[in-house]
Amino acid sequence: MKQDAVLHIPMSEYCCGLDERRIVYRLRCARDDLKHVTLFYADTACRVNPILFTAVPMEKILSDICHDYWQVIVESPYNRVYYYFQLDDGEQTTLYYSGLFTNQLAQDRSEYFKLPFNHRADIARVPEWVKDAVVYNIFPDSFASGKCRIAGTSQPRQFGGQTLRGRLGGTLEGVTRNIDYLKNLGINCVYLNPIFAAGEYHKYDLLDYYHADPCFGGDGAFREMVEALHAANIRVIIDGVFNHCGWHFFAFEDVLKNQEKSPYKDWFYDLTFPVRRPETAEELPDYACFAYERMMPKLNTANPEVRKYFCDVGTYWVREYHIDGWRLDVASEVNDGFWRAFREAVKGVDPEALLIGEVWESAGHWLRGDMFDSTMNYDFRKHCRAFFAEKRIDAAEFSGRVTDMLMRYRLQMLPAQLNLLDSHDVSRFLSLCGGDTAGYRLAVLFMMCFVGMPTVFYGDELGIQGIREEEYRAPMPWEAGNLSLLAFFRKAIAMRHALAPLRAGDFRVLSAETGSRVFCFRRSLGEDAVTVTVNAGDAPADIPVSAEKLYWAEGLEDSTLSSGGFVITCH
């Protein structure tokens, strides 16, 4: 038995309450090492000594290259639990608790693993609606200025004595005028990049957090858009930029005017007086800012006044415009206390509001139920890029990476993860595929079948390509898009809506062999299951003949699946 590979962490994604009755337990071990794992659990307040345990067999649910993962969900009346594991590798049986391997039960019950109290206030919960969400990410300047059209140019607007600029002329009315397009695509949630008053076309250099940008049509256009989207049963998520502001935000203007005497001097991070605006991009600013952007001074979100100001912003748009959630920019660089306060404020107005953090790395720190419901799953894109676009990993390694995405967070947080292939910050995935729609379609299909919220960046469905910023933020190709690709997106999204296991089912890998590029997995929900097989290789591959009902296939002939082909079956 490879004891050095065994891992269990109490009060983490390895042991947590799904609700007040159900607790999920997980254990990691070396791959192909253990034959059986049994959980023994008991009420910590058990009045009998020695304590009375109940045995429950665990299931090996997923594997990566090095490890197997075992899991069981226990429904019981106990909210205070002692527990341990029995490990069996076919030759040796041992008990595992308190990080120790032993053949003896503990002399004192306090030596076992413990969930001190499955407290309702500490159970991580996400809005129920995320399981059914298919998200469309709109970069407002680039999407539409009218019905199935975009102007291509934008006139500057004045606001608070400052000039605000657009680039391609997209507006909020343009979103409203194209709701039927979104509905026909199958979209039921829209996420918009910043809509607030700001200087540049991208609107991440904010000037005013309480008004929609005049270049996009202003407050009235935003309200009309939200009401129209809601009438079409489409939820609305907007971008919250609270890590930094723009040069002309009122508080930073006051600092420049009054320097050390400004009542807002503590609103910003690492000011060096006298504070001034650098005249060129090459000159380093005398203050912290976002990345290298001198026009975006970093806010000191640990300051109680700053925290209150932006918590009020968060609740204002939920309360007054009834938005359905926030995507939170540069979330990993903002202090935890701010996010806990922000969550409490927003959820106090609408408990079903969704909070999505922009975190590019593994995000377990923020997904314990006290900060975010979700994060932008850039790892999903990274792994799909390696498998479907660059074709530099085989099915076994891809399966291991998929396993990591599913095992690193608490089980109930997984349906809320924002899975994406593209965003306003990265090259278009179709370009990474070299324009090859076969690999691109397989990646899209996988996203529509995977655990989490699939996200379509505007124009992905019409084949927008681009490596550089001005390319991947190109205008929506209303009249020159790839209609065949559009039809594929519509069918894949409709399939996700039609098949409940794809939205809420368990995920299991059925086949992912070393050296192969055929990947097969199953989503199961109760008696229903959906099996998906994709061939991301360059040659045809033989696959087992399935007795399940064929739902959708491309490239299948008898038991041979062509390169770029897929098979989806149901039972």
Side-chain angles (χ1 to χ4, degrees):
M1 185 179 296
K2 299 177 182 177
Q3 295 181 351
D4 58 342
V6 174
L7 177 67
H8 175 78
I9 306 172
M11 300 180 67
S12 73
E13 67 272 17
Y14 281 82
C15 177
C16 62
L18 298 179
D19 51 43
E20 290 188 65
R21 288 287 183 175
R22 295 180 303 149
I23 299 172
V24 60
Y25 300 85
R26 291 170 171 171
L27 181 131
R28 190 196 75 183
C29 68
R31 182 158 183 157
D32 298 327
D33 187 35
L34 300 182
K35 305 300 182 184
H36 304 282
V37 177
T38 305
L39 169 76
F40 290 81
Y41 72 96
D43 183 5
T44 64
C46 178
R47 297 185 179 184
V48 177
N49 207 11
I51 192 169
L52 299 178
F53 284 95
T54 300
V56 182
M58 300 182 72
E59 176 191 4
K60 184 169 70 174
I61 58 167
L62 288 166
S63 302
D64 60 26
I65 297 298
C66 299
H67 303 105
D68 291 333
Y69 295 85
W70 297 74
Q71 177 178 290
V72 66
I73 299 173
V74 175
E75 184 168 354
S76 82
Y78 307 146
N79 50 23
R80 298 169 293 184
V81 183
Y82 281 129
Y83 61 98
Y84 67 92
F85 303 93
Q86 183 183 75
L87 315 180
D88 178 4
D89 66 359
E91 298 180 358
Q92 175 189 1
T93 299
T94 188
L95 307 182
Y96 176 60
Y97 55 84
S98 295
L100 304 173
F101 299 91
T102 177
N103 293 320
Q104 303 292 325
L105 292 174
Q107 293 181 335
D108 188 321
R109 65 179 66 183
S110 65
E111 296 178 41
Y112 294 112
F113 288 125
K114 185 178 184 181
L115 179 61
F117 202 99
N118 185 29
H119 202 291
R120 68 174 66 97
D122 296 328
I123 295 171
R125 292 183 173 90
V126 300
E128 188 66 25
W129 60 264
V130 301
K131 294 178 181 178
D132 299 320
V134 177
V135 181
Y136 194 81
N137 178 191
I138 293 175
F139 194 73
D141 180 72
S142 302
F143 182 62
S145 52
K147 178 70 172 178
C148 296
R149 68 176 182 85
I150 183 164
T153 60
S154 178
Q155 295 298 319
R157 298 287 191 274
Q158 293 297 309
F159 183 91
Q162 300 297 327
T163 299
L164 312 186
R165 299 172 182 82
R167 185 170 73 100
L168 298 174
T171 63
L172 300 171
E173 181 187 2
V175 177
T176 305
R177 294 284 300 276
N178 290 285
I179 288 177
D180 58 343
Y181 174 84
L182 299 175
K183 290 291 289 184
N184 290 335
L185 185 57
I187 300 303
N188 56 19
C189 181
V190 164
Y191 149 46
L192 295 105
N193 293 106
I195 54 88
F196 302 124
E200 299 302 318
Y201 81 97
H202 50 69
K203 306 306 173 188
Y204 281 97
D205 59 329
L206 271 87
L207 170 65
D208 192 306
Y209 289 84
Y210 280 96
H211 293 287
D213 195 287
C215 294
F216 296 156
D219 297 345
F222 182 76
R223 186 179 297 278
E224 291 176 8
M225 181 202 71
V226 173
E227 291 176 351
L229 286 166
H230 282 171
N233 295 316
I234 299 175
R235 298 179 189 270
V236 181
I237 295 169
I238 62 175
D239 213 327
V241 187
F242 308 136
N243 171 71
H244 56 270
C245 60
W247 259 0
H248 298 293
F249 181 54
F250 79 92
F252 195 68
E253 288 273 26
D254 193 89
V255 168
L256 290 169
K257 178 181 178 180
N258 296 305
Q259 297 293 323
E260 288 101 329
K261 295 181 180 180
S262 172
Y264 302 105
K265 67 180 186 301
D266 295 327
W267 279 43
F268 298 93
Y269 212 89
D270 287 348
L271 294 182
T272 301
F273 295 99
V275 178
R276 62 186 184 85
R277 297 186 180 104
E279 295 183 1
T280 67
E282 289 73 30
E283 184 180 353
L284 294 177
D286 296 320
Y287 48 85
C289 55
F290 163 64
Y292 48 81
E293 292 290 350
R294 72 192 194 284
M295 299 174 69
M296 300 181 187
K298 181 175 175 62
L299 291 155
N300 178 17
T301 49
N303 182 308
E305 293 178 359
V306 175
R307 183 170 64 240
K308 182 181 186 307
Y309 180 88
F310 286 106
C311 285
D312 288 346
V313 169
T315 58
Y316 174 80
W317 291 90
V318 175
R319 183 180 62 252
E320 298 297 326
Y321 290 86
H322 306 293
I323 65 164
D324 300 286
W326 288 94
R327 178 269 189 185
L328 303 163
D329 189 56
V330 202
S332 59
E333 295 186 21
V334 176
N335 64 299
D336 294 350
F338 175 84
W339 289 133
R340 292 188 180 104
F342 187 83
R343 179 185 182 88
E344 183 176 1
V346 170
K347 296 284 189 177
V349 177
D350 181 3
E352 291 299 296
L354 182 66
L355 300 179
I356 307 169
E358 184 199 13
V359 179
W360 290 57
E361 59 271 21
S362 183
H365 174 78
W366 295 272
L367 293 175
R368 297 170 182 169
D370 59 344
M371 286 185 267
F372 308 144
D373 302 309
S374 167
T375 52
M376 300 183 73
N377 194 356
Y378 276 100
D379 276 355
F380 178 90
R381 176 183 186 271
K382 177 176 66 178
H383 302 326
C384 285
R385 174 178 181 171
F387 187 60
F388 295 111
E390 298 172 346
K391 301 183 177 182
R392 58 183 173 83
I393 62 174
D394 61 15
E397 184 167 348
F398 182 63
S399 175
R401 295 183 179 199
V402 167
T403 293
D404 175 70
M405 289 191 291
L406 293 173
M407 299 308 298
R408 66 189 181 182
Y409 303 146
R410 296 170 190 244
L411 182 62
Q412 64 266 45
M413 310 304 284
L414 299 177
Q417 298 316 297
L418 192 74
N419 298 332
L420 68 148
L421 296 173
D422 284 324
S423 78
H424 70 291
D425 281 330
V426 294
S427 300
R428 293 277 180 163
F429 197 87
L430 182 54
S431 293
L432 301 180
C433 292
D436 172 31
T437 57
Y440 181 56
R441 282 154 58 101
L442 290 184
V444 170
L445 185 77
F446 178 68
M447 180 171 65
M448 294 302 166
C449 296
F450 190 55
V451 182
M453 298 185 293
T455 306
V456 180
F457 190 42
Y458 82 94
D460 274 353
E461 74 282 11
L462 292 174
I464 287 185
Q465 296 192 54
I467 298 297
R468 299 188 304 273
E469 181 177 296
E470 65 271 20
E471 297 172 335
Y472 56 74
R473 297 180 185 176
M476 180 76 166
W478 289 109
E479 298 180 354
N482 185 328
L483 298 184
S484 175
L485 195 57
L486 175 62
F488 179 83
F489 268 82
R490 285 174 174 164
K491 189 170 183 178
I493 293 171
M495 176 184 66
R496 184 175 179 92
H497 289 315
L499 302 178
L502 297 183
R503 304 192 306 275
D506 294 334
F507 184 98
R508 300 289 186 269
V509 175
L510 302 184
S511 179
E513 300 299 323
T514 301
S516 172
R517 292 185 45 78
V518 175
F519 184 59
C520 179
F521 61 93
R522 176 173 292 159
R523 301 291 306 276
S524 302
L525 183 64
E527 298 298 319
D528 298 325
V530 178
T531 302
V532 181
T533 305
V534 300
N535 181 7
D538 295 325
D542 292 330
I543 62 172
V545 177
S546 174
E548 298 178 349
K549 180 181 178 181
L550 181 64
Y551 185 87
W552 185 16
E554 291 188 6
L556 177 66
E557 186 172 347
D558 296 327
S559 61
T560 300
L561 188 61
S562 67
S563 172
F566 60 85
V567 182
I568 300 166
T569 59
C570 302
H571 84 259

